[in-house]
Amino acid sequence: MKLDPVFNTKLGKLYKGDCIYVMQRLPAESIDCFFADPPFNLNKTYGEDNKDNLPEEEYLNWCYKWIDEAVRLLKPQGSLFIYNLPKWNTYLSAYLSNKSKLNFRHWVAIKQTFSLPIQGRLYPSHYSLIYFIKGNKPKTFNPPRIPVQVCRHCGGEIPDYGGYKNKINPKGLNLSDIWLDIPPVRHNRYKKRKENALSLKLLDRVLDISTQEEDTVLDPFGGSGTTYIAAELKKRNWIGIEITTCNDITSRFKNLSADIEHFKEIRKEINVLFTDKAMKLRRKNGRSNGKYFTHEHIHEPQLSFEDMLFQSSKLQ
Ligand SMILES: C[S@@+](CC[C@H](N)C(=O)[O-])C[C@H]1O[C@@H](n2cnc3c(N)ncnc32)[C@H](O)[C@@H]1O
């Protein structure tokens, strides 16, 4: 049966419907990167067709079904990411290793800024992002370097690098599997819907790590379309699916300028040791950078605002 997208751009197609139904109709081994941020089964309201309070076994069986499709769609050496609560990702990781025969790469802990304490438990402070690949070696593995964390008052570096400062790469720190720098989407300008949209910075990073321009990314749980915006701005092909209204996604694409601006800010903080803001603070507080290699002018080539506007004007 032919699938009809409800919206498309030069690079992407968005389908409205159930992700398992849509994925079953896509060709095998056609996706380079699969990213999923499914409902967490926390009884949130996403729309009428969408139950988010299933018995545990039912929720997991549902996850296993879309995982089976994702694995079928993944090209050899392709990457798969699932963002979920640690509780669910323990089961999903086991399934991906034992049943799907994918290879485990990382469990990334992403700092959760606002959470409520749960009685009788440790205070939950991270979301988990699991990262698997099909085959032994990823086709692309290109983690960005990130800036040193600094005190927001004086610009001093928070970790003490002691005598190792000379050894630090001027392009920034190696990305680890604990991400403390992914902000929650709270700012009205960036928040596209009431439900939990992910940060554009998170998707920019995931796509940096695992894809190249012209690769194809699939996210079966569209929400506000953060993955599709990141893919579009990074020149990746994308396939999106959303079971409830797609209006949040389409209106976001029709008014891209806030996302473009945000994306430019995010890209400025990649592959540098100190952000521009940190540099200013350091100067103001008389902190020299003499112990580090020079870094100030090492920025990756940036897309100009005009380039991006040109890209967005090409959207269909
Ligand atoms: C946690 S949200 C995703 C948010 C998204 N990552 C963002 O940044 O905006 C999960 C989304 O999956 C959608 N969804 C739930 N079940 C689905 C299904 N079976 N097929 C397609 N979409 C589904 C929900 O309506 C919701 O919008």
Side-chain angles (χ1 to χ4, degrees):
M1 184 197 272
K2 197 170 163 282
L3 286 177
D4 282 322
V6 287
F7 173 75
N8 56 286
T9 68
K10 270 242 156 72
L11 298 174
K13 285 191 176 72
L14 175 65
Y15 298 100
K16 181 173 184 326
D18 173 58
C19 64
I20 297 172
Y21 177 92
V22 175
M23 286 197 284
Q24 281 169 342
R25 283 152 184 83
L26 299 175
E29 302 195 346
S30 55
I31 300 296
D32 298 280
C33 172
F34 174 89
F35 177 90
D37 168 25
F40 294 171
N41 208 31
L42 286 176
N43 208 6
K44 294 215 165 152
T45 317
Y46 289 108
E48 280 166 22
D49 308 341
N50 202 344
K51 294 190 194 66
D52 196 37
N53 54 356
L54 299 172
E56 290 199 10
E57 207 183 319
E58 219 179 297
Y59 174 72
L60 287 171
N61 284 333
W62 172 70
C63 291
Y64 299 152
K65 278 195 195 147
W66 54 256
I67 286 178
D68 286 347
E69 283 311 312
V71 173
R72 184 184 69 82
L73 295 179
L74 210 57
K75 289 183 192 171
Q77 296 181 281
S79 307
L80 176 147
F81 295 84
I82 300 175
Y83 180 85
N84 210 328
L85 301 176
K87 168 180 165 171
W88 298 128
N89 266 350
T90 57
Y91 293 96
L92 305 188
S93 293
Y95 188 80
L96 284 161
S97 294
N98 300 331
K99 206 61 205 316
S100 315
K101 304 288 178 214
L102 294 196
N103 278 312
F104 174 79
R105 296 276 291 171
H106 290 286
W107 175 290
V108 179
I110 299 179
K111 187 167 171 47
Q112 182 184 1
T113 318
F114 301 107
S115 61
L116 294 172
I118 305 173
Q119 210 178 12
R121 299 286 178 93
L122 297 180
Y123 185 67
S125 293
H126 82 279
Y127 289 110
S128 120
L129 178 68
I130 48 175
Y131 167 25
F132 282 74
I133 54 165
K134 200 180 213 180
N136 291 324
K137 238 181 117 199
K139 185 182 117 202
T140 303
F141 182 63
N142 190 20
R145 288 181 172 274
I146 62 164
V148 172
Q149 250 195 305
V150 297
C151 160
R152 62 196 170 99
H153 302 293
C154 70
E157 57 277 42
I158 291 174
D160 180 10
Y161 295 109
Y164 289 98
K165 287 183 178 177
N166 287 344
K167 309 243 176 338
I168 293 179
N169 190 315
K171 286 191 174 174
L173 305 178
N174 285 316
L175 186 65
S176 81
D177 55 9
I178 302 181
W179 298 356
L180 303 170
D181 60 340
I182 303 294
V185 184
R186 269 177 301 148
H187 198 299
N188 267 347
R189 214 148 145 233
Y190 302 136
K191 194 161 176 112
K192 307 296 171 191
R193 63 193 328 234
K194 287 194 276 325
E195 290 85 27
N196 22 4
L198 292 180
S199 155
L200 191 57
K201 185 171 183 178
L202 172 60
L203 272 306
D204 178 56
R205 184 169 293 172
V206 165
L207 298 190
D208 263 351
I209 292 174
S210 62
T211 63
Q212 300 169 19
E213 285 186 10
E214 294 177 23
D215 278 356
T216 301
V217 179
L218 169 70
D219 180 338
F221 302 106
S224 67
T226 315
T227 307
Y228 318 144
I229 296 286
E232 186 83 27
L233 295 179
K234 295 171 78 60
K235 299 190 180 144
R236 275 65 168 162
N237 297 301
W238 57 269
I239 297 175
I241 312 170
E242 171 55 53
I243 201 166
T244 65
T245 173
C246 293
N247 292 347
D248 290 332
I249 303 172
T250 53
S251 57
R252 195 166 172 184
F253 268 94
K254 285 174 187 155
N255 182 15
L256 259 184
S257 51
D259 274 311
I260 291 175
E261 217 181 291
H262 188 195
F263 182 70
K264 276 185 72 182
E265 292 304 312
I266 292 167
R267 297 302 301 176
K268 274 193 208 155
E269 301 196 347
I270 283 167
N271 298 332
V272 289
L273 193 52
F274 292 106
T275 63
D276 290 346
K277 201 166 145 206
M279 288 297 292
K280 274 192 202 127
L281 260 179
R282 288 176 73 80
R283 270 196 223 103
K284 198 169 133 203
N285 288 280
R287 288 181 182 274
S288 98
N289 293 306
K291 291 207 182 76
Y292 297 101
F293 286 106
T294 52
H295 51 268
E296 215 175 339
H297 305 295
I298 303 177
H299 279 277
E300 62 169 18
Q302 301 287 319
L303 273 183
S304 73
F305 195 60
E306 289 68 33
D307 280 345
M308 290 187 184
L309 281 181
F310 174 65
Q311 241 175 280
S312 67
S313 71
K314 287 193 299 196
L315 302 178
Q316 290 170 344

